[in-house]
Amino acid sequence: MSAADRLSLTVTGPFGDALTGQGDNLILTALRRLGEAAGIGDPAVAVALDKRLPIAAGLGGGSSDAAVALRLTDAVLQLDLGEARLAEIARVIGADGPMCLAGRTAWAEGVGDRLTLEPRLPPLHVVLANPGRPSPTGAVYRAYDSGPVRPVDRPAPPSDWTPPVVIDWLARQRNDLQAPAAALEPAIARALTAMDAAGSRLTRMSGSGATVFGLFDDAPAADAAAEALRADHGDWWVTATLLGDTVSPASEYGQV
């Protein structure tokens, strides 16, 4: 991102073509809202997006891109809006806007706007697998709304924060969107089964799908599982990575 004479967005990357022809996206929506809040009109910045996550994957990619664009624009244009105002602006992104803006592990309550940071979550080795089928959020939520709604609350934290105990604790939680999403898109169910077969300690769908994730004991186990999934499903997007707060705020946002 850089200062420019007008607001613009350039999209590249392996999944950039999927955004071709879209007249707007979350980045531009968020930056226009920021401009309104700051009283400057459309902020004059040039944004370059390297799109490396699948579209409609349930990973919050678009929301995260928009949240980072908010922070960078605030810094590049020296607006100094402050955390509270940026969080309020981030609501235009969606329910996950404040969480993506925070960029930290947190308990999210309300509609996702009440956050309590949770620094105790240890890094967890994970494999992400997307079967190449979109899972539109709106359709999944409509399917969820049409069925019985289960009560929700904030679960008690795990007894300790070592990775094995945390994984066992996570296994007792649930994603209420998983069943309706898998019913709408059978490829999600196949991906869940494949992740289990790859040796995952815990397999779940991410967000509203279609990406699924598996948690593993260590990096070698995750890397081996990712390699096996790629070999068996060559048309899937598969990557092994690490979940958790692995960088500090200063290192993440210090360079613009």
Side-chain angles (χ1 to χ4, degrees):
M1 176 183 288
S2 60
D5 57 358
R6 63 183 179 85
L7 175 62
S8 66
L9 172 65
T10 303
V11 183
T12 60
F15 294 98
D17 288 347
L19 298 178
T20 300
Q22 293 190 10
D24 212 341
N25 68 16
L26 286 178
I27 290 177
L28 296 177
T29 297
L31 293 187
R32 287 173 178 140
R33 178 67 187 90
L34 179 145
E36 292 174 4
I40 60 172
D42 288 353
V45 292
V47 183
L49 172 62
D50 183 10
K51 184 62 177 174
R52 294 184 172 271
L53 294 180
I55 305 298
L59 295 172
S63 297
S64 295
D65 293 337
V68 171
L70 285 176
R71 286 198 180 278
L72 293 179
T73 299
D74 182 61
V76 167
L77 299 185
Q78 299 181 349
L79 300 175
D80 297 324
L81 292 177
E83 197 68 18
R85 291 189 71 189
L86 286 175
E88 181 64 31
I89 293 166
R91 293 187 184 209
V92 74
I93 298 170
D96 57 352
M99 173 70 90
C100 291
L101 182 76
R104 295 290 174 268
T105 301
W107 299 87
E109 298 175 90
V111 295
D113 57 333
R114 297 203 309 271
L115 302 180
T116 305
L117 297 183
E118 182 49 88
R120 293 173 292 179
L121 184 74
L124 298 173
H125 297 279
V126 64
V127 174
L128 306 175
N130 184 284
R133 298 285 300 172
S135 181
T137 302
V140 173
Y141 271 93
R142 286 191 293 272
Y144 168 74
D145 289 340
S146 68
V149 177
R150 299 173 64 181
V152 297
D153 58 13
R154 175 171 168 170
S159 57
D160 71 63
W161 291 89
T162 58
V165 173
V166 169
I167 291 175
D168 289 342
W169 174 77
L170 288 170
R172 297 193 296 273
Q173 315 312 319
R174 68 184 196 263
N175 179 353
D176 287 336
L177 299 180
Q178 182 169 305
L184 290 172
E185 179 47 70
I188 295 174
R190 293 194 292 271
L192 290 165
T193 299
M195 188 67 73
D196 279 336
S200 169
R201 284 277 310 275
L202 169 63
T203 300
R204 288 284 191 276
M205 184 186 77
S206 175
S208 58
T211 304
V212 306
F213 68 88
L215 297 180
F216 293 83
D217 289 323
D218 50 38
D223 290 339
E227 190 62 31
L229 286 166
R230 292 189 196 101
D232 293 339
H233 306 279
D235 57 339
W236 289 10
W237 175 82
V238 178
T239 189
T241 186
L242 198 63
L243 295 180
D245 295 346
T246 58
V247 295
S248 69
S251 65
E252 185 171 1
Y253 301 117
Q255 299 296 321
V256 295

